[in-house]
Amino acid sequence: MSTEKSTARKIFEWHEQRLPIVSFIDHAVGSQYPAPRNLNYFWNFGSLAGFMLVTMILTGVFLAMNYTPHESMAFDSVERIMRDVNYGWLIRYMHFNGASFFFIAVYIHIFRGLYYGSYKAPREVLWWIGILILLAMMATAFLGYVLPWGQMSFSGATVITNLFSAIPVVGNTIVTLLWGGFAVANPTLNRFFSLHYLLPFVIVGLVFLHIWALHIPGSNNPLGIELTAKDKIPFHPYYTVKDAFGVGVFLLFYFGIVFYAPNLLGDVTNYMKANPLTTPPNVVPEWYFLPYYAILRSIPNKLLGVIAMFGSLLILFVVPWLDTSRIRSAVFRPVYKAFFWVFVVDCLVLGYCGSQHPEGLPLILSRVGTAWYFLHFLILMPVIGWLETPKPLPASISEPVLNPAE
Amino acid sequence: MANTAPAHTAHADGADGETRRDFLLNTTVAAGAVGGALMVWPLIHSMNPAADTLSMSTTEVNTSGIAEGMGITFLWRGKPVFARHRTKAEIEEARKVPMGELKDPQKDEARVQKGHEELLVLVGVCTHLGCVPLGQKVTEPRGEFGGYFCPCHGSMYDTSGRIRKGPAPTNLEVPPYTFLSDTTVRVG
């Protein structure tokens, strides 16, 4: 064994002493981060969300090189990207569908957190930052949807900015400020482009805080129990490889849509140029906003509808205290587990209702669904925590395997 | 003043632990904070309507071509404006509604100009979330009250543009307008 260091090693160490960036990464997502040995595939979606964030920023930067944020040119510049710019169609379809796949990854990531109790002590701040990321993502997605300046872009911008007019007294002043005029128009488009470019980098900053907050207690795991050193394995190579495999599978679905059904998740109405004189017959947002839209429309009072819609998101901040059970994982909570799945179905029903005209059965369903949504958090979560008898927890991950007799 | 005098003495003594240095530090930080906060206003105000946006604040239209029962739609400050030539029956219907039935009570007389009761001028923006209601064309759905129907969330307005059913909180806005002649209206 030679004690002589190679030149490359010496240069590396010289650099690490001055800026220990490689050690930093190694501690964050490398061999120095001990991760639970029993993480299942639901733990892939955090890194998948990160992958989609990078994809969105990259494709977005290249789209911006050919996009013109002006009310009379925006629509045509997007069509030019689709028809004339080399691989413009690919970059735009990746960006357009990337938003959907980013939300798919993040929603599964959030439901995983709800199922395995990842929001509970000591991970409350980690959970909060995750909600902030979701809110920033929603704002970014909304702003980006306006940029092609199609009919649905225009109506979406009008409806969403008008939500703020529900605020008593200052509502209309705020809306005029948001528009930069008396209706959604060129000044609105310009600022939306500016903010759409800014917010993803805010998300990057939040992701750093999210990972930082993750590393204080370490990752939660499917059993939700505190782990000993024996129950942990290095993140690299074990989970870097598993995450890379997950990316591969995810890409199959993502590019399946990009190549074979690129407009499946969009609304054809947005291929008509914005016209302030008409509103499309059925104004609906993209699929990832439908449940909130259903909540908004389920309440026949404007201000209360807006409060309920924002409340449905803000309520997530207090979930760590609404859930009174000390057991993290739903694996050991039979009652909570059942209601968790009811809640998932409730969100899907709300999503369906959001896509329909608010009358007849969809309206009734969206009212029941909205009521259940808040009931789940405000009543069921605390009550189940008090009344439920959880199953016995194992002492460690390896114990049932290594000492099955005990 | 009588109250401040003992305080000064206390400062000079340094009895409460405050010194000249603390005072300078606090006032400096306060001045810096106020200065920084003041700088926020130009940034926020730059997002408000610019001078050129404000200058496009009037639109003139000729109303002589609108046949009874028909309407025209034009843009004013980027918003659609409806001008509708109402029929006798529509005016009568709007006037006989008891105020108690209205969510946002307002007389039809207050929403049109005297001598031009047939011409209803409205900002064509639903007061719920800003969609453009249907009903300007006779072929479009006009809702249960014969006025306007918003396809977004189902608000229904009557022949005076008043909210009658649905989530919209207030009546369709009547923009400021004047008759320059019997057939020319200036909105704004």
Side-chain angles (χ1 to χ4, degrees):
Chain A
M1 212 168 95
S2 163
T3 50
E4 198 62 27
K5 288 173 182 166
S6 69
T7 314
R9 180 80 203 170
K10 279 180 192 159
I11 294 172
F12 170 74
E13 283 179 1
W14 179 91
H15 190 268
E16 279 293 292
Q17 277 165 5
R18 282 150 185 83
L19 181 72
I21 188 165
V22 175
S23 321
F24 176 77
I25 294 168
D26 200 34
H27 276 94
V29 288
S31 62
Q32 298 305 309
Y33 175 47
R37 64 199 299 168
N38 62 339
L39 298 185
N40 61 31
Y41 275 110
F42 283 107
W43 263 261
N44 277 59
F45 288 90
S47 69
L48 286 173
F51 175 81
M52 286 317 297
L53 176 60
V54 174
T55 305
M56 292 305 279
I57 289 177
L58 272 180
T59 50
V61 165
F62 284 91
L63 284 176
M65 293 178 191
N66 284 294
Y67 170 76
T68 312
H70 187 277
E71 61 180 345
S72 63
M73 291 182 267
F75 187 84
D76 293 336
S77 77
V78 172
E79 285 309 299
R80 183 179 158 269
I81 288 170
M82 293 302 290
R83 295 161 196 221
D84 296 342
V85 175
N86 300 327
Y87 288 109
W89 58 272
L90 176 65
I91 300 171
R92 175 164 178 265
Y93 276 152
M94 279 175 71
H95 196 75
F96 172 66
N97 288 294
S100 285
F101 279 83
F102 196 176
F103 273 102
I104 289 173
V106 162
Y107 281 150
I108 295 176
H109 188 64
I110 292 169
F111 277 109
R112 187 269 286 158
L114 283 172
Y115 186 84
Y116 293 109
S118 300
Y119 47 84
K120 288 187 196 179
R123 297 186 180 82
E124 299 94 327
V125 175
L126 171 62
W127 174 254
W128 283 349
I129 295 166
I131 302 164
L132 291 180
I133 293 173
L134 174 65
L135 293 174
M137 271 178 72
M138 297 176 99
T140 312
F142 160 66
L143 295 168
Y145 190 68
V146 176
L147 301 184
W149 212 241
Q151 265 294 62
M152 208 51 97
S153 298
F154 188 86
S155 302
T158 303
V159 169
I160 301 300
T161 48
N162 265 301
L163 293 178
F164 294 91
S165 70
I167 301 169
V169 188
V170 290
N172 286 319
T173 315
I174 291 176
V175 172
T176 303
L177 179 78
L178 293 175
W179 286 339
F182 303 103
V184 172
N186 195 49
T188 325
L189 177 59
N190 269 283
R191 64 193 54 190
F192 277 23
F193 181 52
S194 166
L195 295 173
H196 181 70
Y197 210 120
L198 166 74
L199 280 180
F201 298 97
V202 174
I203 296 177
V204 169
L206 288 169
V207 167
F208 267 99
L209 294 180
H210 197 59
I211 295 174
W212 187 5
L214 170 70
H215 281 71
I216 305 301
S219 300
N220 186 27
N221 66 83
L223 298 178
I225 54 175
E226 298 298 332
L227 300 180
T228 57
K230 232 177 154 185
D231 280 332
K232 295 192 173 179
I233 50 176
F235 191 85
H236 178 74
Y238 294 101
Y239 286 113
T240 44
V241 165
K242 190 177 179 181
D243 281 349
F245 174 70
V247 167
V249 174
F250 196 72
L251 285 177
L252 285 177
F253 290 98
Y254 176 28
F255 280 94
I257 294 286
V258 166
F259 288 136
Y260 295 104
N263 290 303
L264 179 72
L265 301 169
D267 194 313
V268 287
T269 315
N270 218 29
Y271 282 105
M272 288 191 286
K273 197 171 176 173
N275 175 4
L277 289 175
T278 61
T279 299
N282 192 12
V283 175
V284 283
E286 294 293 86
W287 68 267
Y288 39 80
F289 290 141
L290 289 174
Y292 315 103
Y293 197 56
I295 290 174
L296 169 75
R297 298 196 299 185
S298 70
I299 294 172
N301 175 294
K302 180 174 167 179
L303 179 60
L304 291 179
V306 172
I307 289 173
M309 189 185 74
F310 284 109
S312 70
L313 283 162
L314 297 179
I315 200 169
L316 294 173
F317 280 105
V318 289
V319 160
W321 295 275
L322 289 173
D323 187 344
T324 51
S325 173
R326 280 178 299 141
I327 309 297
R328 288 200 192 99
S329 174
V331 169
F332 304 104
R333 302 185 58 197
V335 181
Y336 175 77
K337 187 198 245 175
F339 280 105
F340 169 85
W341 289 111
V342 173
F343 179 70
V344 172
V345 171
D346 184 48
C347 290
L348 295 174
V349 167
L350 281 173
Y352 164 76
C353 294
S355 70
Q356 301 297 306
H357 265 289
E359 53 196 19
L361 185 64
L363 181 62
I364 296 167
L365 275 178
S366 65
R367 288 192 173 151
V368 174
T370 301
W372 187 267
Y373 186 97
F374 287 100
L375 182 86
H376 178 84
F377 287 114
L378 294 173
I379 312 268
L380 292 177
M381 268 199 162
V383 171
I384 293 172
W386 286 320
L387 301 182
E388 184 181 42
T389 312
K391 294 182 190 168
L393 294 176
S396 74
I397 296 172
S398 51
E399 186 220 45
V401 183
L402 297 178
N403 305 313
E406 285 175 13
Chain B
M1 292 305 282
N3 288 338
T4 56
H8 275 295
T9 327
H11 278 201
D13 294 340
D16 59 355
E18 277 195 36
T19 61
R20 218 174 136 81
R21 186 169 290 203
D22 289 332
F23 174 77
L24 287 172
L25 181 66
N26 290 339
T27 47
T28 308
V29 169
V34 169
L38 286 177
M39 189 51 220
V40 174
W41 176 244
L43 297 179
I44 292 176
H45 198 44
S46 78
M47 292 175 72
N48 266 322
D52 64 332
T53 310
L54 290 170
S55 72
M56 294 188 299
S57 56
T58 60
T59 302
E60 285 177 24
V61 287
N62 186 333
T63 57
S64 63
I66 315 174
E68 195 172 301
M70 307 296 278
I72 57 165
T73 308
F74 53 92
L75 281 178
W76 168 64
R77 303 204 303 194
K79 286 180 185 179
V81 171
F82 297 159
R84 179 148 148 191
H85 188 150
R86 300 187 292 176
T87 62
K88 288 254 157 26
E90 286 175 335
I91 299 172
E92 213 169 292
E93 207 185 313
R95 304 215 154 170
K96 69 173 191 222
V97 181
M99 286 296 117
E101 273 184 31
L102 298 175
K103 193 171 172 181
D104 179 11
Q106 203 180 11
K107 284 196 160 165
D108 182 61
E109 287 84 342
R111 296 175 58 79
V112 291
Q113 295 196 358
K114 221 174 159 82
H116 300 280
E117 282 85 358
E118 76 292 345
L119 191 75
L120 179 68
V121 182
L122 301 167
V123 175
V125 172
C126 181
T127 56
H128 181 225
L129 294 174
C131 295
V132 181
L134 300 172
Q136 273 296 82
K137 297 188 187 123
V138 279
T139 51
E140 289 175 347
R142 287 177 162 177
E144 290 168 25
F145 303 92
Y148 297 93
F149 172 73
C150 183
C152 290
H153 307 102
S155 290
M156 294 177 194
Y157 299 90
D158 65 12
T159 53
S160 190
R162 292 172 299 198
I163 179 65
R164 300 296 291 275
K165 196 175 174 185
T170 57
N171 300 332
L172 289 176
E173 185 191 344
V174 177
Y177 65 96
T178 45
F179 282 87
L180 299 179
S181 71
D182 269 356
T183 56
T184 312
V185 171
R186 187 176 70 199
V187 179

